[in-house]
Amino acid sequence: MNGLVIVLIAIVVLGAGYLLYGRWLASKWGLDPKAKTPAYTHEDGQDYVPSSKLTVFAHQFSSIAGAGPVTGPILASVFGWVPVLLWLLIGGLFFGAVQDFGALYASVKNEGKSMGMIIEKYIGRTGRKLFMLFCWLFTLLVMAAFTDMVAGTFVGKGVEGMTKATGYANSAAASISMLFIVVAIIFGLIQKKVGKMKEWVRAVVAIALLVVMFIIGMKLPMYATKSTWIYIVMAYLFLASVMPMWLLMEPRDYMTTFMLLGMIIGAVVGVIAEHPTMKLNAFSGFNVDGSYLFPTLFVTIACGAVSGFHSLVSSGTSSKTISNEKDMPMVGYGAMVVESLLGVIALVVVGAVAVNGTKPEGTPFSIFSAGVAGFFEKFGIPVQVATVFMTMCVSALALTSLDSVARIGRMSFQELFYGDTTDTSKMPGWQKVLTNKYFATIITLVLAYLLTKVGYAEIWPLFGSANQLLSVLALVACAVFLKKTKRQGWMLWVPMLFMMAVTFTALSMTIIKLTNAFMTTGLDLGNTLQLVFAVLLLILGVLVAIQGIKKLLEKADK
């Protein structure tokens, strides 16, 4: 089938879903444009910062559009392009976007509280403690996987067999990414000093800065080994976790969004110009090389269809910067729709370069980068420029999720030890230490660093299952909130029950597989950590889900 037709179908379906279903959800739940949002009622210049609709959308989209919408569809393409496309469209509109919007809505309506605090309010304190422990463990997995991935993308030396061209592309992309951090802080300070800027002025400044950084980065590449880049990324995550939102993360995400949208638009234009034929099998069967379509497909494709991590972004950071409730559909539902489109584009790209009906050899990032760079070359863009741009884009995808998850991991650790108050003057000494943002950040990053020793390939399968289980818990929490506040929440039940079946099946299969391996040949460090995490996450997930389901089945208050 023609790739252009697939992209056009996706644009129409996703656009219609946003305009019809997204607006319908907003009308059923109720938005109050005159209500003061938490960004104003709790404004502190750190986490609670009133921001424009486009700024919050940029933060939400760049944070959730990590490696997932590229990695998942390409890995799952072994089952054929038809099931992948159906899950991206159906999952994106009726599962993922509903969860993201629901989590954002629930948080804004509850003073910008995180999912953990919402669970405490509507389900109970025990549920909150278990959920926050689950979230914190989950963020460790995300940081370890994505840090290892980003460091591998930036490495410019110390790898046997690496070509000069590849080393240059990686190092130039790394240099641009480091410039991003410095320029983002400068951009944030300028906006703070100038005050409210017209949106078109901010956009022009952001795009101009991107162009300047790209030119400088290509002229001054930074060559370093993978281990060095892991240390540098961890240092950046410390800054992103503790610095005010307006100073680093918001301006960085704002600029990144233009780059990512440029990548998406460029890929779409490339598809329109090339009309690539899908060389993937339409459907490869329900069992491919020992992997069953259920639950593997629905765990492999997380971001792009439904991802529990998104609920942490919606309730952890975005809800604290929303200036008006009427902005929530675009931020919560709209950002997920655009991410689903990115997943479809990744599917078309791998379909265009497929070999013998399946994806070619290489990592998902390398396949995607090479494919889109090939489209860019058709427009006369030099191959070196196209390769550097795509390497920069795919690393930005992971970095923008990394800085958000580092902040969320720090906040999750703090919330584990909060009691009845967040006022440090009323806490004992030990509690002050454990809830201190610097201490919480260091502990979280140290443990994530240790997990990077296991490697990205070992962590990713478990990350997928944990991510989807987190979506179950978020959907349960949102459903309970809607019921307790006498709003319609039945539209969350099908996604919640389906994802419950997917994740419990996937984690159980993982535990059985690893246990059998342990009984026969023993386990190495990577598999041992996978087994421990899988058991812990499954137990915690089941306990929280049971508490939530009990609340959902209770008779409604009169």
Side-chain angles (χ1 to χ4, degrees):
M1 189 173 183
N2 192 298
L4 174 60
V5 175
I6 293 174
V7 172
L8 291 177
I9 289 173
I11 290 173
V12 171
V13 171
L14 293 171
Y18 172 73
L19 293 173
L20 299 175
Y21 195 56
R23 289 182 177 179
W24 180 78
L25 287 175
S27 67
K28 286 296 180 184
W29 293 344
L31 300 177
D32 183 2
K34 296 180 181 179
K36 277 196 170 184
T37 62
Y40 287 107
T41 58
H42 295 279
E43 185 174 1
D44 60 5
Q46 295 285 325
D47 296 315
Y48 292 87
V49 182
S51 306
S52 69
K53 183 197 301 188
L54 185 56
T55 298
V56 186
F57 174 85
H59 166 70
Q60 177 82 6
F61 172 66
S62 59
S63 295
I64 67 175
V70 170
T71 302
I74 291 178
L75 291 176
S77 65
V78 295
F79 291 104
W81 66 263
V82 171
V84 172
L85 178 64
L86 289 174
W87 177 232
L88 285 169
L89 297 180
I90 296 171
L93 291 174
F94 300 106
F95 287 61
V98 174
Q99 174 210 253
D100 296 6
F101 183 24
L104 180 65
Y105 182 85
S107 181
V108 169
K109 290 293 187 180
N110 284 277
E111 302 178 334
K113 291 180 178 176
S114 67
M115 289 306 299
M117 292 299 192
I118 292 171
I119 286 175
E120 177 175 11
K121 182 175 180 179
Y122 296 102
I123 297 177
R125 176 170 292 186
T126 301
R128 182 201 118 197
K129 292 289 187 182
L130 293 171
F131 180 80
M132 295 318 303
L133 179 56
F134 180 98
C135 286
W136 184 63
L137 292 173
F138 172 75
T139 59
L140 296 181
L141 289 174
V142 178
M143 280 187 281
F146 283 19
T147 298
D148 187 73
M149 182 192 308
V150 170
T153 304
F154 286 168
V155 64
K157 63 179 183 179
V159 178
E160 187 177 349
M162 175 177 282
T163 65
K164 186 176 180 180
T166 301
Y168 169 78
N170 291 353
S171 301
S175 180
I176 297 166
S177 296
M178 294 302 102
L179 283 171
F180 244 109
I181 300 170
V182 178
V183 173
I185 294 174
I186 295 171
F187 190 35
L189 290 170
I190 291 173
Q191 292 182 87
K192 191 73 171 178
K193 183 71 174 178
V194 173
K196 193 170 184 180
M197 297 171 65
K198 289 183 178 180
E199 205 60 64
W200 71 268
V201 175
R202 294 177 69 222
V204 170
V205 172
I207 294 171
L209 289 172
L210 281 173
V211 173
V212 172
M213 286 187 290
F214 189 79
I215 294 172
I216 295 174
M218 289 199 67
K219 293 290 185 182
L220 300 171
M222 295 176 62
Y223 290 91
T225 61
K226 183 177 179 179
S227 58
T228 301
W229 279 119
I230 288 177
Y231 290 127
I232 294 172
V233 171
M234 285 290 173
Y236 164 66
L237 294 183
F238 178 84
L239 296 176
S241 178
V242 300
M243 291 176 73
M245 286 285 292
W246 63 266
L247 184 57
L248 177 56
M249 285 183 64
E250 279 195 342
R252 186 187 187 285
D253 291 344
Y254 186 81
M255 291 188 293
T256 299
T257 298
F258 286 101
M259 182 178 67
L260 298 183
L261 289 177
M263 179 189 73
I264 294 173
I265 293 169
V268 171
V269 172
V271 170
I272 293 173
E274 284 296 298
H275 292 219
T277 301
M278 293 295 285
K279 299 175 185 176
L280 284 170
N281 294 328
F283 180 61
S284 302
F286 290 99
N287 187 328
V288 177
D289 297 329
S291 295
Y292 293 95
L293 188 143
F294 181 91
T296 307
L297 175 75
F298 307 99
V299 169
T300 304
I301 303 176
C303 302
V306 57
S307 166
F309 168 65
H310 296 188
S311 68
L312 302 185
V313 177
S314 292
S315 65
T317 53
S318 296
S319 63
K320 297 172 176 62
T321 57
I322 285 280
S323 295
N324 194 305
E325 286 191 11
K326 64 183 175 60
D327 297 343
M328 287 195 285
M330 176 178 165
V331 174
Y333 201 95
M336 181 66 221
V337 167
V338 178
E339 189 189 38
S340 294
L341 178 60
L342 176 56
V344 173
I345 292 171
L347 174 63
V348 171
V349 169
V350 71
V353 298
V355 179
N356 297 324
T358 189
K359 67 181 183 68
E361 292 295 323
T363 66
F365 270 12
S366 65
I367 295 169
F368 183 72
S369 297
V372 178
F375 290 156
F376 287 162
E377 286 180 60
K378 302 297 181 181
F379 298 107
I381 298 174
V383 61
Q384 190 179 62
V385 175
T387 304
V388 170
F389 178 74
M390 284 308 305
T391 304
M392 179 182 69
C393 284
V394 295
S395 62
L397 284 169
L399 267 178
T400 49
S401 290
L402 260 175
D403 52 24
S404 289
V405 82
R407 198 176 190 92
I408 292 166
R410 180 263 292 176
M411 294 167 70
S412 297
F413 185 87
Q414 287 177 287
E415 288 185 21
L416 268 173
F417 299 99
Y418 280 142
D420 296 324
T421 180
T422 57
D423 185 353
T424 55
S425 64
K426 299 178 181 179
M427 295 179 184
W430 65 268
Q431 194 177 27
K432 287 181 181 179
V433 172
L434 293 174
T435 57
N436 177 274
K437 70 178 182 179
Y438 298 103
F439 180 83
T441 299
I442 291 171
I443 289 294
T444 301
L445 292 181
V446 166
L447 291 176
Y449 168 75
L450 294 176
L451 276 175
T452 61
K453 300 297 183 183
V454 178
Y456 160 74
E458 297 286 348
I459 297 171
W460 186 263
L462 183 57
F463 158 73
S465 298
N467 191 22
Q468 301 305 64
L469 180 53
L470 182 57
S471 73
V472 172
L473 304 183
L475 287 165
V476 169
C478 290
V480 173
F481 156 73
L482 292 171
K483 178 183 178 180
K484 292 290 186 180
T485 55
K486 304 189 185 308
R487 294 178 172 92
Q488 291 189 32
W490 56 266
M491 63 287 292
L492 273 65
W493 278 76
V494 171
M496 177 179 69
L497 294 175
F498 180 79
M499 295 311 299
M500 198 175 291
V502 166
T503 52
F504 288 163
T505 302
L507 279 172
S508 297
M509 289 173 66
T510 299
I511 291 171
I512 291 171
K513 177 184 175 182
L514 292 173
T515 302
N516 288 337
F518 175 74
M519 298 296 290
T520 53
T521 60
L523 297 176
D524 57 19
L525 175 61
N527 286 331
T528 301
L529 285 173
Q530 280 195 69
L531 179 59
V532 171
F533 266 79
V535 172
L536 280 174
L537 293 172
L538 181 61
I539 292 172
L540 290 170
V542 169
L543 291 175
V544 177
I546 289 174
Q547 290 199 328
I549 295 294
K550 283 182 179 179
K551 291 291 182 181
L552 283 175
L553 297 178
E554 285 181 356
K555 290 184 178 180
D557 299 330
K558 295 182 179 179

